[in-house]
């Protein structure tokens, strides 16, 4: 297929996706300033300064219906770009063209943001405070996961040490080394040269590098793919969050992966999020600082389905340390 065909098949060109249509019914129908950088091709050019505006900042809202086009990334400003500022405020340089990908695939949360909420609430780790609320991480932030502690995208616990840039092998370190820059699809043919049995994206989940022979999720299996280690840790963390919410925060918590803000009050105490409970008006409000930190890390992993590739070591420790923190209470 041609470059144009590959682009046309990608999420960047899907003008009917919620990523580009969410604001169609707003009044006026515009992509808000805080969203336009990533949800509008024109907004991305605004962020780069292609339109003559100041690079590194958004100057206003943008029209709906403008996808990420060729011109969004193929321009002199994009070619010269080499650094990015992450949501934590950290500026990371020497990134080359990967910096273009990071501009949008970096989420919108950080350890700093959670610490600020907790500091403003001014309460001890296990005290409920209504001023605390869940701060969503946002989806598809795999690149921030891959640069780990340099970006502080996860909630890193004080006194612990976290992985920095996730390395693979020479020649496969940047986004476009594994993803086609136009279709965004993973180059499975190249993966299969080293990883036997890889024919689909799902097959990647079975990969486990030889240097990792620890049982991270406690199920006794040290041969399963790192993807499944993460899934096991996420299940354990959610279970402990539910127990902590009931025993320490004094309120039952239920989780729904598809409905914002994801954490709800389990009104009928049946241990599940029923359809009538998955309502923003029924959002979970009995947050303590400790529970908020763990929930942020849990959701960070949930919203990064490729975390096992992008930064498995980093996410394993975020989940493990969250479990340890809740268990301490």
């Amino acid at each position: 297929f041609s470059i144009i065909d590959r682009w046309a098949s990608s999420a960047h060109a899907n003008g009917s996706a919620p990523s580009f249509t969410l604001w169609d019914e707003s009044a006026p129908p515009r992509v808000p300033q805080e969203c336009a950088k990533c949800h509008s091709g024109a907004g991305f050019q605004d962020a780069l300064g292609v339109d003559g505006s100041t690079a590194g900042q958004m100057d206003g809202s943008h029209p709906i219906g403008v996808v990420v086009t060729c011109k969004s990334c193929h321009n002199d400003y994009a070619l010269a770009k080499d650094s990015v500022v992450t949501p934590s405020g950290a500026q990371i340089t020497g990134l080359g063209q990967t910096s273009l990908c990071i501009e949008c695939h970096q989420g919108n949360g950080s350890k700093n943001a959670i610490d600020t909420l907790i500091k403003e609430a001014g309460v001890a780790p296990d005290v409920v405070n209504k001023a605390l609320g869940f701060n969503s991480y946002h989806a598809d932030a795999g690149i921030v996961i891959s640069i780990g502690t340099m970006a502080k995208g996860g909630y890193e616990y004080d006194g612990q040490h976290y992985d920095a840039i996730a390395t693979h092998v020479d020649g496969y370190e940047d986004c476009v080394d594994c993803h086609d820059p136009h279709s965004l699809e993973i180059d499975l043919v190249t993966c299969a040269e080293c990883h036997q049995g890889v024919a689909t994206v799902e097959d990647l989940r079975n990969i486990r590098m030889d240097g990792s022979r620890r049982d991270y999720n406690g199920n006794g299996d040290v041969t399963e793919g790192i993807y499944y280690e993460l899934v096991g840790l996420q299940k354990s963390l959610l279970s402990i969050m539910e127990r902590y919410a009931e025993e320490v925060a004094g309120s039952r918590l239920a989780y729904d992966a598809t409905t914002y803000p994801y954490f709800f009050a389990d009104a009928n105490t049946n241990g599940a999020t029923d359809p009538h409970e998955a309502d923003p008006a029924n959002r979970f409000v009995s947050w303590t600082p400790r529970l908020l930190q763990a929930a942020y890390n849990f959701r960070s992993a949930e919203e990064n389905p490729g975390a096992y590739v992008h930064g498995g070591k980093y996410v394993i420790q975020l989940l493990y340390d969250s479990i340890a923190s809740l268990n301490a209470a």
Side-chain angles (χ1 to χ4, degrees):
F1 294 100
S2 70
I3 287 176
I4 295 296
D5 290 334
R6 298 205 304 273
W7 167 81
S9 70
S10 75
H12 283 170
N14 187 359
S16 62
S19 299
F20 298 113
T21 62
L22 184 62
W23 305 273
D24 286 2
E25 304 302 321
S26 60
R30 304 271 296 181
V31 183
Q33 179 174 340
E34 62 271 22
C35 304
K37 180 179 75 171
C38 302
H39 295 276
S40 164
F44 189 67
Q45 290 183 300
D46 180 351
L48 293 179
V50 178
D51 58 358
S53 62
T54 302
Q57 69 179 45
M58 295 299 299
D59 296 291
S61 63
H62 282 266
I64 60 172
V66 183
V67 299
V68 178
T69 64
C70 305
K71 292 182 179 180
S72 300
C73 299
H74 291 282
N75 57 70
D76 291 341
Y77 294 84
L79 290 173
K81 186 173 174 57
D82 187 57
S83 65
V84 70
V85 177
T86 69
S88 68
Q91 182 175 25
I92 302 173
T93 60
L95 294 168
Q97 295 301 288
T98 293
S99 62
L100 288 174
C101 307
I102 296 180
E103 279 294 346
C104 289
H105 295 280
Q106 60 173 297
N108 56 14
S110 67
K111 169 181 170 58
N112 297 8
I114 300 300
D115 280 340
T116 297
L117 285 174
I118 293 172
K119 182 177 180 180
E120 291 175 351
V123 294
D126 300 305
V127 176
V128 173
N129 189 287
K130 301 302 180 183
L132 296 173
F134 179 70
N135 188 8
S136 179
Y137 184 72
H138 208 51
D140 293 333
I143 305 175
V144 163
I145 290 295
S146 74
I147 54 181
T149 192
M150 294 174 66
K152 296 289 189 295
Y155 188 84
E156 301 179 8
Y157 291 86
D158 294 341
Q160 299 294 88
H161 298 280
Y162 294 85
D163 200 36
I165 293 179
T167 57
H168 191 49
V169 294
D170 289 343
Y172 295 93
E173 297 170 347
D174 295 331
C175 304
V176 297
D177 293 335
C178 297
H179 293 269
D180 183 291
H182 299 103
S183 71
L184 312 181
E185 293 182 357
I186 299 170
D187 181 3
L188 294 172
V189 173
T190 301
C191 295
E193 292 178 4
C194 294
H195 300 291
Q196 296 181 358
V198 170
T200 67
V201 172
E202 287 70 27
D203 291 335
L204 297 174
R205 298 175 177 178
N206 298 319
I207 295 173
R208 188 179 187 116
M209 304 299 282
D210 288 337
S212 178
R213 292 300 177 195
R214 291 179 180 268
D215 179 18
Y216 300 106
N217 63 22
N219 69 351
D221 189 348
V222 295
T223 63
E224 63 183 351
I226 290 299
Y227 168 86
Y228 297 103
E229 293 279 8
L230 287 177
V231 169
L233 281 169
Q234 287 169 241
K235 289 181 179 178
S236 294
L237 176 54
L238 180 59
S239 175
I240 295 167
M241 285 169 56
E242 292 169 343
R243 181 177 174 183
Y244 174 96
E246 181 177 9
E247 296 183 4
V248 179
S251 181
R252 294 287 293 266
L253 176 149
Y255 175 71
D256 185 286
T258 61
T259 307
Y260 183 82
Y262 313 114
F263 298 101
F264 302 94
D266 184 11
N268 59 13
T269 67
N270 69 345
T273 305
D274 299 313
H276 70 278
E277 292 177 327
D279 185 323
N282 184 50
R283 68 180 63 204
F284 185 82
V285 295
S286 298
W287 293 105
T288 70
R290 193 189 302 271
L291 184 57
L292 185 63
Q293 293 162 351
Y296 176 80
N297 280 343
F298 173 82
R299 188 62 193 171
S300 298
E302 282 273 291
E303 293 197 275
N304 283 282
Y308 65 104
V309 174
H310 293 140
K313 288 173 65 177
Y314 183 66
V315 179
I316 283 171
Q317 182 148 12
L318 292 176
L319 296 173
Y320 188 93
D321 290 347
S322 298
I323 291 170
S325 174
L326 291 176
N327 278 339

